[in-house]
């Protein structure tokens, strides 16, 4: 399996290198869909220039990335393109290894449940075989590396790629079962963009499952393990934040990074829902809606944890998708990460209901974003409502995509336990509804 | 009884709490014809008061206006400079200005070291001045105030200059009109009833290319030994009359043509009241300009590196009003002036914004040093509002095709909605060169309530300030403030080989992307709908479970159909 992966990596690196040398690189770097005030490369360069002038990068409102990024690029600024290509490759390789391991776990669990006779007798066509699962890791790596969103994010040198790498390593560490590394990478991901905090729940559920600890509130081993994991996570987070303090000798970065993510003062247009909402908000309700929108990202965790406690990796996928859609400054790089997981659920294809229309919506919206931006900002013949409308449609498309996959997943689980050919009491074919 | 009252009054007057300190008023009008046929008139009214305003023991105000005196004492102001300007001084065409101010309102103040909360004092000061001058100076807040570190050094007495005591703000959108002129005139000791101020009629003053009125308060040495401090208030008004709009196309000027008034007498409270007319010959030829009536005297001075000749009319000299009751100074050109010998000033600058679209842009400043062999440094101060996000890594300074690194650079980045960008640089200008300074910016989208009522007009960026000590060809003598004309003594001269110049560039007008102002409810509803779609889908999937569908009894239509079929006697659905 290494050779096809290597081939995919080579193709991806070639595409990126070609784009770096072309005139499209400058055009893509300027795009608001790819570079947000949080992760634009221009702002990293500006922060390094401010440091050269003796001014703290956090004294103004220009730089909102973490001090570790300054530290990293202080030394690697000349090799920036290489760094971003390597991060993409690392993410793809990490996802490849993680999904390879995950497939083994899925297959083992399936075998176990079949032996326990948990499945209905007529679900043979729903059972997954190693043959069909063989190419999934490669497809995941392919989906990530050759996704136009990822390529654009890499060419624009958006630090979202670094965030994706850290999350990919976190997923790899979790699936491999290493508590310590999982906690460390989760702490790094939270340190960089705050929202991966919600991935604590799926990671914990997966690790508990892997250690064969039952998830019962009364169980002592459950609480012991949870405390252990939480302590590792919090300690690594504290250590990383203290390290950042010593880098620039001030706590300025906390309001500049986390205060900025949470209070959304910069209304630069992007593909998310926050910018126009707060541009048109009545001042009186601004704080209330900021709180509502931020809570919206975090509050799906507990219900999803309760519903999907047997399937923590799917939970992780849904959680990453929710973060990418509802975070305060989303970019297409964030979307690329959860889209890379879609081949893992390719066996749900037969239960998906709206795939055609949703894929059309997503593709058309992605193509319309630059068109309507140009009409608003450069041609002056459209106004901000046009771009906002496409933002709304794109986000609805993403939301329906995730809920479609969720629906298909739950439906397959039902069929597995109740049988594929359902009959009603009078013997006619039955319909399945959610009630 | 009456005799006793008079004696008591005299005694009281002699032994009152501090005799009224000596205050002196000088007024002066300078008429300078400009190279292209326009004429500039600069009025200066200088009140010098030998009192110590800071001690707060002053209670008797005579010539010095009480409103400003109380302000200086109460708020711990050491120097105050307020200018309200309409129009732009075209340095390239008109030459170096005697005193320039940026378009709009400019206020810069040095506070005493005893002031503990400078920001609070600054806010109070701008509000009080707003009331005194009927200008919206109350819009001065932290978003347009900066603390320069190198420019705007004190013009009066200063011991120690901690730049944290300095505040500078410009309101480029401020419009100057009659209601700003009236309170300014009221501060003059004679008002507009006597002396040179009778010429200040609003309908002529605002029909001009450039109108700038300013108030400068500063402490100065009382005498040569400088043991005591006097306070000086200068009120200056500069106006440029246009050949075509005011002059009816002819280049001959007179006081009546400019101001529709003539001078009848001097202000009785003034110790000196003079009119200076610049009759300097160009290119060392005989005079081009003829003035009538014949002047009282002729004065020669070196001003801004140039030897100049002035015809002086002393309004206090008894011989002036012998022949006629009123003085109408007339300037006639002896021969037509070619436009080819327009002298270029040594230092002038230009600023513009380039780029297209509403996302990014670039501010370019061009500074010209036309001195043939001398190079000199210039301090550039730029204040850019926070919603134009400057990227200092894109700052480039190019002179004669090569990069020119500034020897001092102070950059304070903006904080959203709190303070503007401040960029101060010391740039060396080589002789006979053009220096181009460019910096790129990004335009921010503001909240809908933060736009002005006419958002598509654009947002103003205030003028940048260039301060330089320009080398002069002719050695200049040290100026004795009391005995030389006022227009030579505003800026302190450090040595005879250079003179101080402060120039302002054009203000810029920049468009920002705007949201649709009619859509707040719609946007809130639509965005919340999208969030609700997610919430609804997830709620369904999380709380409901799959069930086999039970055969339903049918909807309302089916039941109605069954009732009708029963009546017809047909089997039900």
């Amino acid at each position: 399996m290494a050779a096809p992966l290597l081939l995919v990596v080579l193709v991806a690196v070639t595409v990126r290198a070609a784009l770096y040398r072309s005139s499209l690189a400058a055009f893509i770097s300027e795009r608001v869909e790819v570079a947000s005030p949080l992760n634009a490369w221009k702002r990293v360069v500006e922060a390094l220039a401010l440091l050269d002038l003796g001014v703290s990068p956090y004294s103004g409102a220009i730089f909102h990335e973490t001090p570790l990024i300054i530290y990293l690029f202080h030394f690697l600024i000349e090799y920036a393109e290489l760094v971003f290509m390597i991060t993409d490759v690392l993410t793809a390789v990490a996802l490849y290894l993680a999904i390879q391991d995950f497939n083994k776990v899925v297959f083992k669990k399936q075998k176990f449940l079949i032996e326990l006779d948990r499945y209905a007798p007529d679900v043979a066509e729903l059972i997954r075989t190693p043959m069909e699962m063989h190419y999934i890791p490669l497809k995941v790596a392919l989906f990530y590396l050759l996704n136009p969103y990822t390529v654009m994010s890499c060419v624009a040198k958006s630090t979202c790629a670094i965030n994706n790498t850290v999350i990919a390593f976190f997923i790899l560490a979790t699936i491999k079962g290493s508590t310590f590394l999982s906690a460390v990478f989760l702490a790094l991901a939270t340190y960089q963009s705050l929202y991966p905090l919600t991935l604590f729940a799926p990671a914990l559920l997966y690790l508990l499952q892997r250690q064969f600890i039952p998830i019962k509130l009364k169980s002592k081993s459950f609480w012991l393990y949870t405390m252990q994991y939480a302590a590792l996570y919090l300690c690594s987070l504290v250590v990383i934040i203290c390290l950042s303090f010593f880098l620039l000798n001030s706590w300025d970065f906390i309001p500049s990074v986390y205060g900025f993510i949470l209070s959304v003062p910069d209304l630069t247009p992007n593909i998310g829902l926050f910018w126009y909402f707060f541009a048109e908000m009545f001042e009186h309700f601004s704080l209330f809606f900021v709180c509502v929108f931020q809570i919206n990202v975090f509050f799906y965790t507990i219900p999803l944890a309760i519903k999907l406690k047997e399937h923590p990796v799917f939970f992780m996928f849904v959680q990453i998708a929710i973060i990418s859609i509802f975070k305060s400054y989303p970019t297409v790089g964030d979307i690329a990460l959860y889209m890379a997981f879609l081949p893992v659920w390719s066996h749900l294809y037969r239960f998906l209901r709206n795939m055609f229309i949703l894929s059309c919506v997503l593709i058309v919206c992605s193509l319309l974003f630059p068109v309507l931006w140009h009409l608003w900002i450069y041609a002056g013949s459209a106004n901000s409502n046009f771009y906002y409308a496409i933002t709304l449609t794109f986000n609805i498309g993403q939301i329906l995509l995730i809920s479609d996959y969720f629906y298909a997943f739950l439906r397959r689980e039902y069929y597995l336990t109740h049988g594929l050919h359902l009959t009603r009491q009078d013997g006619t074919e039955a319909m399945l509804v959610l009630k | 009884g009456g005799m006793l009252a008079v004696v008591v009054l005299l005694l009281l007057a002699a032994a009152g709490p501090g005799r009224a300190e000596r205050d002196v008023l000088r007024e002066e009008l300078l008429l300078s014809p400009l190279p292209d046929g326009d004429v500039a008139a600069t009025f200066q009214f200088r009140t010098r008061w030998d009192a110590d305003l800071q001690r707060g023991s002053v209670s008797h105000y005579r010539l010095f206006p009480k409103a400003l005196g109380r302000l200086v004492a109460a708020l711990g102001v050491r120097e105050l400079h307020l200018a309200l300007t309409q129009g732009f001084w075209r340095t390239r065409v008109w030459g170096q200005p005697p005193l320039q101010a940026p378009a709009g309102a400019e206020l810069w103040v040095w506070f005493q070291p005893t002031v503990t909360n400078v920001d609070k004092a600054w806010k109070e000061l701008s509000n009080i001045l707003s009331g005194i001058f009927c200008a919206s100076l109350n819009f001065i807040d932290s978003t347009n105030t900066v603390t320069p570190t190198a420019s705007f050094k004190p013009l009066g007495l200063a011991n120690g200059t901690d730049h944290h005591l300095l505040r500078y703000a410009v309101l480029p959108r401020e419009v100057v009109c009659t209601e700003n002129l009236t309170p300014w005139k009221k501060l003059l000791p004679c008002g507009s009833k006597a002396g040179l101020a009778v010429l200040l009629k609003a309908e002529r003053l605002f029909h001009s290319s450039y109108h700038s009125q300013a108030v400068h308060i500063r402490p100065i040495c009382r005498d040569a030994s400088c043991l005591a401090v006097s306070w000086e208030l200068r009120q200056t008004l500069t106006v440029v009359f246009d050949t075509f709009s005011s002059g009816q196309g002819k280049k001959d000027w007179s006081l009546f043509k400019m101001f529709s008034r003539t001078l009848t007498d001097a202000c009785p409270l003034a110790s000196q009241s003079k009119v200076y007319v610049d009759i300097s010959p160009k290119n060392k030829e005989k005079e081009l300009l003829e003035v009538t009536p014949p002047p009282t005297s002729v004065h020669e001075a070196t001003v801004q590196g140039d030897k100049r000749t002035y015809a002086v009319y002393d309004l206090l000299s008894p011989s002036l009003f012998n022949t006629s009751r009123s003085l109408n100074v007339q300037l006639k050109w002896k021969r037509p002036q070619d436009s080819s010998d327009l002298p270029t000033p040594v230092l002038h600058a230009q600023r513009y914004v380039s780029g297209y679209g509403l996302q990014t842009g670039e501010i370019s400043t061009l500074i010209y040093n036309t001195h043939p062999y001398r190079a000199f440094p210039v301090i550039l101060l730029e204040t850019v509002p926070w919603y134009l996000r400057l990227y200092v890594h894109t700052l480039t300074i190019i002179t004669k095709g090569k990069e020119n690194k500034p020897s001092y650079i102070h950059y304070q980045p903006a904080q959203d909605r709190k303070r503007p960008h401040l960029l101060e640089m010391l740039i060396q200008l080589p002789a006979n060169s053009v220096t181009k300074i460019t910096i790129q910016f990004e335009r921010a989208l503001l909240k809908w309530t933060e736009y002005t009522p006419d958002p598509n007009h654009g947002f103003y960026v205030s003028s940048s300030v260039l301060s330089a000590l320009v080398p002069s060809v002719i050695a200049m003598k040290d100026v004795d403030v009391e005995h030389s004309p006022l227009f030579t003594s505003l800026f302190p001269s450090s040595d005879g080989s250079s003179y101080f110049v402060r120039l302002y560039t054009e203000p810029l007008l920049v468009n920002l992307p705007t949201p649709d102002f009619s859509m707040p409810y719609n946007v809130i509803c639509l965005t919340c709908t999208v969030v609700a779609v997610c919430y609804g889908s997830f709620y369904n999937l999380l709380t409901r479970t799959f069930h086999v569908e039970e055969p339903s009894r049918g909807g309302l239509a089916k039941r109605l159909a069954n009732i009708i079929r029963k009546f017809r006697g047909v089997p039900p659905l």
Side-chain angles (χ1 to χ4, degrees):
Chain A
M1 282 303 280
L5 179 62
L6 200 59
L7 184 65
V8 166
V9 163
L10 278 173
V11 169
V13 167
T14 314
V15 166
R16 283 161 173 73
L19 279 173
Y20 272 130
R21 293 286 159 261
S22 75
S23 61
L24 277 177
F27 172 70
I28 293 175
S29 308
E30 288 280 307
R31 299 243 48 83
V32 285
E33 298 90 17
V34 183
S36 73
L38 271 181
N39 54 29
W41 175 248
K42 199 170 172 187
R43 293 184 182 233
V44 176
V45 176
E46 177 71 8
L48 292 170
L50 283 175
L51 256 169
D52 282 339
L53 279 176
V55 177
S56 162
Y58 299 107
S59 60
I62 206 85
F63 184 65
H64 304 284
E65 263 287 355
T66 55
L68 283 185
I69 297 281
I70 299 182
Y71 192 66
L72 178 74
F73 284 109
H74 189 63
F75 301 107
L76 295 176
I77 186 78
E78 274 113 53
Y79 311 107
E81 295 173 1
L82 207 60
V83 167
F84 283 101
M85 285 201 275
I86 289 175
T87 52
D88 267 3
V89 167
L90 283 175
T91 313
V93 169
L95 287 176
Y96 177 88
L97 295 170
I99 299 301
Q100 221 175 28
D101 231 26
F102 175 61
N103 278 349
K104 292 198 191 107
V105 168
V106 161
F107 191 64
K108 234 193 298 188
K109 186 171 168 194
Q110 191 177 246
K111 209 161 93 160
F112 180 66
L113 288 171
I114 289 174
E115 279 168 15
L116 286 180
D117 257 342
R118 291 284 182 83
Y119 289 164
D122 58 348
V123 294
E125 51 194 81
L126 291 181
I127 303 288
R128 305 179 69 189
T129 60
M131 271 302 289
E132 106 191 43
M133 301 207 291
H134 184 65
Y135 283 108
I136 288 180
L138 184 66
K139 281 193 207 160
V140 167
L142 190 79
F143 256 56
Y144 185 76
L145 279 176
L146 296 181
N147 191 346
Y149 293 153
T150 325
V151 174
M152 283 203 294
S153 204
C154 182
V155 172
K157 294 192 275 219
S158 151
T159 58
C160 178
I162 297 176
N163 202 23
N164 285 357
T165 310
V166 175
I167 294 180
F169 275 115
F170 153 71
I171 294 174
L172 177 64
T174 309
I175 291 184
K176 289 271 188 202
S178 156
T179 318
F180 174 65
L181 280 178
S182 170
V184 166
F185 281 115
L186 186 62
L188 262 177
T190 312
Y191 164 73
Q192 197 178 1
S193 78
L194 199 64
Y195 293 106
L197 173 67
T198 53
L199 294 175
F200 180 86
L204 180 65
L205 286 173
Y206 186 83
L207 289 167
L208 283 170
Q209 221 182 51
R210 209 187 147 91
Q211 309 268 357
F212 302 111
I213 298 171
I215 302 162
K216 286 195 204 338
L217 284 175
K218 293 204 181 59
S219 153
K220 216 173 76 145
S221 53
F222 164 74
W223 283 111
L224 193 68
Y225 193 81
T226 310
M227 288 298 124
Q228 208 180 357
Y229 189 58
L232 272 172
Y233 170 64
L234 286 170
C235 286
S236 349
L237 195 58
V238 164
V239 163
I240 295 170
I241 289 185
C242 289
L243 267 176
S244 314
F245 168 74
F246 288 118
L247 214 59
L248 288 169
N249 269 323
S250 75
W251 295 108
D252 275 351
F253 72 97
I254 291 186
S256 268
V257 180
Y258 306 113
F260 181 80
I261 293 177
L262 290 174
S263 64
V264 194
D266 187 337
L267 298 173
T268 312
N270 49 55
I271 57 174
L273 298 164
F274 277 67
W275 63 279
Y276 206 52
F277 189 72
F278 290 105
E280 298 271 11
M281 175 54 60
F282 299 102
E283 256 325 292
H284 184 67
F285 295 104
S286 190
L287 181 63
F288 170 70
F289 277 104
V290 163
C291 296
V292 166
F293 271 54
Q294 297 292 359
I295 290 172
N296 186 44
V297 186
F298 291 97
F299 90 129
Y300 286 106
T301 310
I302 307 287
L304 280 171
I306 296 170
K307 184 83 179 183
L308 292 173
K309 59 179 182 284
E310 305 296 324
H311 315 283
V313 178
F314 188 77
F315 176 19
M316 211 181 287
F317 162 71
V318 174
Q319 192 61 66
I320 293 178
I322 288 176
I323 294 173
S324 307
I325 298 169
F326 291 113
K327 68 192 292 197
S328 40
Y329 293 98
T331 58
V332 292
D334 301 305
I335 296 171
L337 183 63
Y338 79 78
M339 282 200 173
F341 281 93
L342 294 181
V344 183
W345 325 112
S346 53
H347 59 278
L348 299 174
Y349 181 72
R350 58 185 290 176
F351 301 114
L352 294 171
R353 294 178 296 175
N354 305 317
M355 219 7 62
F356 175 67
I357 193 167
L358 288 176
S359 38
C360 285
V361 163
L362 290 176
I363 292 174
V364 168
C365 286
S366 307
L367 293 172
L368 278 178
F369 269 122
V371 171
L372 292 171
W373 177 258
H374 179 87
L375 282 181
W376 172 27
I377 298 290
Y378 293 99
S381 52
N383 67 7
S384 48
N385 291 336
F386 291 65
Y387 194 77
Y388 168 65
I390 297 300
T391 306
L392 286 180
T393 322
F394 189 67
N395 282 308
I396 291 228
Q398 286 185 75
I399 289 167
L400 292 177
L401 177 77
I402 300 308
S403 55
D404 211 17
Y405 266 93
F406 196 8
Y407 172 85
F409 190 84
L410 291 176
R411 193 165 166 159
R412 181 176 171 272
E413 291 302 310
Y414 182 83
Y415 278 136
L416 277 176
T417 45
H418 291 90
L420 202 52
H421 303 290
L422 302 162
T423 53
R424 276 192 231 155
Q425 282 153 356
D426 51 2
T428 54
E429 197 173 329
M431 293 274 292
L432 210 54
V433 290
L434 268 180
K435 265 216 231 289
Chain B
M3 208 40 198
L4 189 62
V6 169
V7 167
V8 166
L9 274 171
L10 277 173
L11 278 171
L12 276 173
R19 279 169 300 132
E21 280 86 355
R22 202 174 78 96
D23 46 14
V24 175
L25 170 70
R26 286 172 58 184
E27 54 177 23
E28 163 189 301
L29 165 63
L30 169 68
L31 296 171
S32 4
L34 298 172
D36 63 346
D38 303 337
V39 68
T42 309
F43 291 83
Q44 278 205 48
F45 300 90
R46 176 188 180 250
T47 305
R48 190 192 116 153
W49 195 17
D50 296 336
D52 198 351
L53 276 173
Q54 287 311 117
R55 297 289 153 85
S57 60
V58 189
S59 54
H60 183 73
Y61 289 83
R62 200 174 73 104
L63 294 179
F64 201 96
K66 185 170 178 180
L68 295 178
R70 293 251 305 251
L71 190 65
V72 167
L75 290 174
V77 170
R78 190 168 77 200
E79 260 191 55
L80 185 146
H81 302 269
L82 169 67
L84 294 165
T85 313
Q86 171 203 329
F88 182 68
W89 181 276
R90 289 184 253 153
T91 313
R92 186 104 195 251
V93 177
W94 293 342
Q96 217 93 54
L99 180 68
Q100 197 188 2
E106 183 205 37
L107 175 66
W108 60 281
V109 175
W110 276 93
F111 287 93
Q112 299 282 358
T114 52
V115 174
T116 43
N117 191 347
V118 179
D119 290 316
K120 188 159 159 285
W122 171 251
K123 186 107 191 92
E124 272 186 53
L125 178 69
S126 46
N127 279 310
I128 295 174
L129 286 173
S130 167
I132 295 177
F133 291 99
C134 293
S136 4
L137 299 173
N138 52 322
F139 283 127
I140 290 179
D141 56 13
S142 67
T143 59
N144 44 30
T145 306
V146 289
T147 304
T149 56
S151 318
F152 294 104
K153 292 288 174 223
L155 291 176
L157 279 184
N159 46 352
T161 51
D162 177 8
H163 68 267
H164 292 110
L165 299 168
L166 169 65
R167 293 288 185 272
Y168 173 76
V170 176
L171 293 173
R173 226 189 145 106
E174 189 65 21
V175 169
V176 188
C177 54
T178 316
E179 67 177 19
N180 303 120
L181 181 65
T182 315
W184 188 91
K185 282 197 290 191
K186 279 214 190 107
L187 294 173
L188 297 170
C190 281
S192 50
K193 297 185 176 52
L196 294 173
V198 297
L199 297 175
L200 300 174
K201 290 297 158 202
E203 69 266 11
R204 299 299 301 174
L205 285 180
F206 289 102
H207 195 62
S208 58
S209 316
Y210 177 80
H211 170 101
S212 172
Q213 62 195 61
V215 169
H216 304 275
I217 302 176
R218 62 178 177 170
I220 53 172
C221 290
R222 199 171 289 187
D223 47 26
S225 58
C226 214
L227 291 167
V229 163
S230 293
W231 284 84
E232 180 193 81
L233 164 69
R234 279 190 198 228
Q235 286 180 256
T236 64
L237 193 143
T238 309
V239 61
V240 173
F241 292 102
D242 193 85
T243 323
F244 293 100
S245 55
S246 322
Q248 290 117 36
K250 297 206 203 84
K251 284 197 237 166
D252 296 332
W253 293 100
S254 70
L255 281 182
F256 189 78
K257 195 169 171 192
M258 290 191 275
F259 302 105
S260 68
R261 280 283 193 292
T262 53
L263 292 167
T264 47
D265 58 357
C267 174
L269 300 167
S271 66
Q272 202 184 86
S273 179
K274 289 188 178 165
V275 176
Y276 290 84
V277 183
D278 187 350
I279 52 172
S280 316
K282 307 276 184 290
N283 304 330
K284 297 186 178 34
E285 285 175 9
K286 277 188 3 182
E287 286 120 25
L288 305 164
L289 205 59
E290 189 193 307
V291 285
T292 49
T296 331
S297 60
V298 170
H299 178 86
E300 283 199 4
T302 316
V303 170
Q304 290 183 340
D306 255 344
K307 251 197 170 28
R308 304 250 181 105
T309 316
Y310 296 93
V312 185
Y313 294 86
D314 191 345
L315 291 171
L316 287 172
S317 101
S319 59
L320 193 64
F321 293 106
N322 269 351
T323 39
S324 64
R325 288 285 309 281
S326 71
L327 171 65
N328 182 18
V329 177
Q330 288 175 333
L331 291 79
K332 280 203 195 45
W333 295 97
K334 280 198 197 147
R335 59 177 176 83
Q337 188 193 29
D338 350 313
S339 54
S340 61
D341 56 0
L342 288 174
T344 22
V346 178
L347 174 70
H348 63 279
Q350 193 184 346
R351 188 171 72 148
Y352 55 91
V353 78
S354 52
Y356 65 98
L358 295 175
Q359 189 177 6
T360 52
E362 190 177 68
I363 298 178
S364 306
T365 311
L366 293 168
I367 310 181
Y368 299 85
N369 174 6
T370 57
H371 202 283
Y373 53 87
R374 289 287 298 273
F376 56 90
V378 68
I379 297 181
L380 173 69
L381 171 79
E382 284 228 31
T383 310
V384 177
W386 65 267
Y387 39 81
L388 302 179
R389 301 178 205 274
L390 290 183
Y391 284 92
V392 82
H393 73 271
T394 57
L395 175 68
T396 52
I397 308 175
I398 307 237
T399 310
K400 289 183 178 167
K402 284 190 308 209
E403 205 197 312
N404 181 355
K405 237 174 111 58
S407 43
Y408 169 76
I409 180 164
H410 174 248
Y411 176 64
Q412 193 184 53
Q415 275 178 352
D416 277 8
R417 302 181 179 91
K418 287 207 196 94
R419 64 165 197 233
H421 295 279
L422 173 66
L423 179 62
E424 271 188 285
M425 296 188 285
L426 179 66
I427 304 168
Q428 189 75 9
L429 302 177
N432 210 9
S433 65
V434 179
T435 305
K436 183 167 182 186
I437 302 158
T438 53
I439 187 166
Q440 287 177 7
F441 63 88
E442 246 178 35
R443 302 173 207 224
L445 184 73
L446 305 177
K447 298 186 183 173
W448 70 305
T449 47
E450 290 173 347
Y451 287 86
T452 51
D454 50 347
N456 292 304
H457 177 72
F459 287 77
Y460 284 98
V461 179
S462 49
S463 315
S464 44
V465 187
L466 294 152
S467 320
L469 278 172
V470 180
S472 79
V473 181
I474 304 166
M476 298 185 305
K477 292 192 294 281
D478 227 358
V479 162
D480 177 9
V481 180
E482 295 310 314
H483 297 111
S484 47
L486 290 174
F487 58 84
T488 54
S489 62
L490 183 60
F491 292 117
S493 52
S494 50
D495 56 69
S497 63
S498 56
Y499 58 95
F500 180 76
V501 154
R502 185 176 288 137
L503 281 185
Y504 295 86
T505 59
E506 295 91 332
L508 301 173
L509 189 58
V510 172
N511 269 75
L512 290 181
T514 57
D516 188 345
F517 297 98
S518 59
M519 293 263 292
Y521 276 120
N522 305 14
V523 168
I524 294 174
C525 290
L526 289 169
T527 310
C528 290
T529 305
V530 171
V531 175
V533 162
C534 178
Y535 177 79
S537 320
F538 274 78
Y539 178 81
N540 274 344
L541 291 166
L542 289 167
T543 53
R544 297 183 185 196
T545 48
F546 283 101
H547 293 285
V548 172
E549 189 189 7
E550 294 303 314
S552 61
R553 283 188 0 146
L556 185 62
K558 206 166 167 194
R559 269 184 274 165
L560 271 176
N562 281 338
I563 292 169
I564 296 170
R565 285 174 99 112
K566 204 159 77 173
F567 280 128
R568 283 172 57 196
V570 171
L573 287 167

